[in-house]
Amino acid sequence: MDDAAALSGAADTEPATAARRVFIKTFGCQMNVYDSERMSEALAAEGYVETADAADADLAILNTCHIREKAAEKVYSDLGRLRDIKRERAAAGKRTLIAVAGCVAQAEGEEMVRRAPAVDLVLGPQSYHRLPDLLGRLRNGERALVETTFPDEDKFQALPERSPARSVAAFLTVQEGCDKFCTFCVVPYTRGMEYSRPVVALVEEARRLVQRGVRDITLLGQNVNGYHGEGPGGEATTLAGLIRALAAIEGLLRIRYTTSHPRDMSDDLIQAHGDEAKLMPYLHLPFQSGSDRVLAAMNRKHTAAEYTDLIGRIRTARPDIALSTDIIVGFPGETDADFEATLSLVRELRFAHAFSFKYSPRPGTPASTMDGQVPDDIKRDRLALLQTVIDEGYVRFNGAQVGRRLPVLFEKPGRHAGQLVGRSPYLQLVHADADPAHVGRIVDVEIRAAGANSLSGVICGQT
Ligand code: 5AD
Ligand code: SF4
């Protein structure tokens, strides 16, 4: 048997009625988490049950992320492990299918099966509804299928209805793709042009989630505040309009959204932060760099002063809003002075939270071939310093909650007996001793302590 034949595994001899097991590993952003859930639901309709053990799986799916090199490379090391499992299972007469989904699949396509011949299926993010059909073809003996076109049909419509909620909080993808073309970013290439789902479909999906116990929905999109979906009467609807339509759903208690671009932070959305009670006071708004020169080279289409002014307007509408951001260090040409500008913006704007990254050149993006690539040791030092400043802000923000009463939406039992864990309006994890009947409800908690990653307190009225 040649190597490729060994990798394709044994014939599919299991009876069609036996439950097949699927292992799904998700990398990267929340949109991938949502997509993995929808794939799992599509597969459940085909008789698959999920397993957390890859060695036990008839089908292993890696739902991948291409945003930085490290994330993409991780996929290949996982594929090495899956290849070994596939061999071992084949020796025991069991067939294993390996599928790669997500943005690495989209970006690498055919290349992926060449580099990792154990892979049976390469599936781009727009094709998940084709999964059952493609698996059928693989079982019928076809090999190394690659499905990375951008079909114009609506994959969301073709996916089956949502299955029972796993949690009080759920994601809902409302928009996909991005037309912004920041020069460092692969998203416009891997996820394609912006597409917004229609309002009616989203209200319907949200309603079903609420019927199944969901109370907190985070609206997802690569550029979510650029949302411009079709409204019930055919009119273009903004994200603020969508949020107001969703807020009318009885039983839905909290709405959040991520990720946004400063240029699309429209006045009606800012206003919604001021007057829509279900819209939570938390906003993730990446600024990437505090230097105007770097921002221009990144094609961000805003300056540091414009970003600061925008934050001022948002804080006027909702003074207690918690802000989070994304920052890149070591973009090509970034000098010490540029980096200092980033540090001072972080200090000035008092973020509750921030994600920081070393610039990672991505194939096919304009920045990857720019002059002035920054050496890795400088990137590393800048990242370490930036993270210290970010952590100071994080500790300050969490510490400021001690002594306050926060409405906490309880999600599940905590680690200790009698304890529940939930979220504050500002997305902080909160632990408190509470009756399990409080899961799915908002209860006032007096915050007594702030730890490294969470708050703890007591339910008001209890001591
Ligand atoms: N290198 C480093 N960070 C990146 N991001 C996107 N592309 C890159 C890259 N090539 C970061 C941005 C973005 C977040 C999701 O990932 O900060 O907002
Ligand atoms: Fe990438 Fe976000 Fe820029 Fe779009 S707006 S290109 S997703 S960083």
Side-chain angles (χ1 to χ4, degrees), residues 67 177-188 222-223 259-261 286 288 300:
I67 198 106
C178 181
D179 305 347
K180 287 284 187 293
F181 290 95
C182 299
T183 54
F184 52 80
C185 185
V186 284
V187 166
Q222 261 98 21
N223 186 22
T259 287
S260 296
H261 191 286
Q288 314 295 1
R300 287 291 291 176

Side-chain angles (χ1 to χ4, degrees), residues 83-125:
R83 178 200 54 209
D84 295 343
I85 288 175
K86 185 172 183 166
R87 277 215 184 94
E88 282 158 24
R89 282 173 52 90
K94 293 184 198 155
R95 189 176 193 196
T96 314
L97 294 174
I98 300 179
V100 183
C103 293
V104 179
Q106 185 65 41
E108 298 196 3
E110 301 278 349
E111 179 59 24
M112 188 130 226
V113 271
R114 265 194 294 278
R115 202 171 148 190
V119 171
D120 299 284
L121 173 63
V122 178
L123 187 68

Side-chain angles (χ1 to χ4, degrees), residues 13-235:
T13 49
E14 285 182 45
T17 47
R20 296 179 200 275
R21 281 173 294 276
V22 57
F23 165 83
I24 305 181
K25 179 162 176 184
T26 308
F27 299 81
C29 68
Q30 291 136 329
M31 299 194 59
N32 273 7
V33 174
Y34 174 87
D35 283 345
S36 290
E37 279 182 14
R38 298 301 306 262
M39 279 193 274
S40 167
E41 288 163 8
L43 290 167
E46 302 287 309
Y48 278 91
V49 291
E50 265 199 68
T51 169
D53 180 6
D56 193 32
D58 306 288
L59 168 64
I61 302 177
L62 299 181
N63 193 7
T64 62
C65 172
H66 201 237
I67 198 106
R68 285 169 293 275
E69 193 179 359
K70 229 165 135 185
E73 281 307 313
K74 182 102 192 19
V75 173
Y76 283 100
S77 60
D78 274 36
L79 280 175
R81 270 194 295 279
L82 288 178
R83 178 200 54 209
D84 295 343
I85 288 175
K86 185 172 183 166
R87 277 215 184 94
E88 282 158 24
R89 282 173 52 90
K94 293 184 198 155
R95 189 176 193 196
T96 314
L97 294 174
I98 300 179
V100 183
C103 293
V104 179
Q106 185 65 41
E108 298 196 3
E110 301 278 349
E111 179 59 24
M112 188 130 226
V113 271
R114 265 194 294 278
R115 202 171 148 190
V119 171
D120 299 284
L121 173 63
V122 178
L123 187 68
Q126 301 307 319
S127 308
Y128 295 152
H129 55 298
R130 301 206 174 140
L131 194 50
D133 170 51
L134 291 163
L135 291 173
R137 284 169 55 191
L138 288 170
R139 282 197 293 269
N140 286 336
E142 286 188 59
R143 298 258 318 272
L145 298 177
V146 178
E147 181 71 51
T148 52
T149 48
F150 282 111
D152 42 8
E153 73 204 76
D154 181 357
K155 75 165 176 187
F156 297 103
Q157 266 173 27
L159 285 165
E161 287 203 358
R162 305 303 309 267
S163 59
R166 300 172 188 209
S167 156
V168 167
F171 295 131
L172 175 56
T173 294
V174 304
Q175 180 274 334
E176 287 201 312
C178 181
D179 305 347
K180 287 284 187 293
F181 290 95
C182 299
T183 54
F184 52 80
C185 185
V186 284
V187 166
Y189 311 96
T190 52
R191 290 274 178 160
M193 302 304 270
E194 283 184 15
Y195 166 75
S196 297
R197 298 178 64 193
V199 174
V200 171
L202 292 169
V203 170
E204 190 46 40
E205 190 170 331
R207 230 184 258 290
R208 269 187 259 128
L209 287 170
V210 171
Q211 274 165 11
R212 286 154 203 209
V214 168
R215 298 288 171 262
D216 179 334
I217 293 184
T218 300
L219 311 178
L220 299 180
Q222 261 98 21
N223 186 22
V224 72
N225 62 341
Y227 176 86
H228 54 274
E230 188 187 315
E235 70 288 5

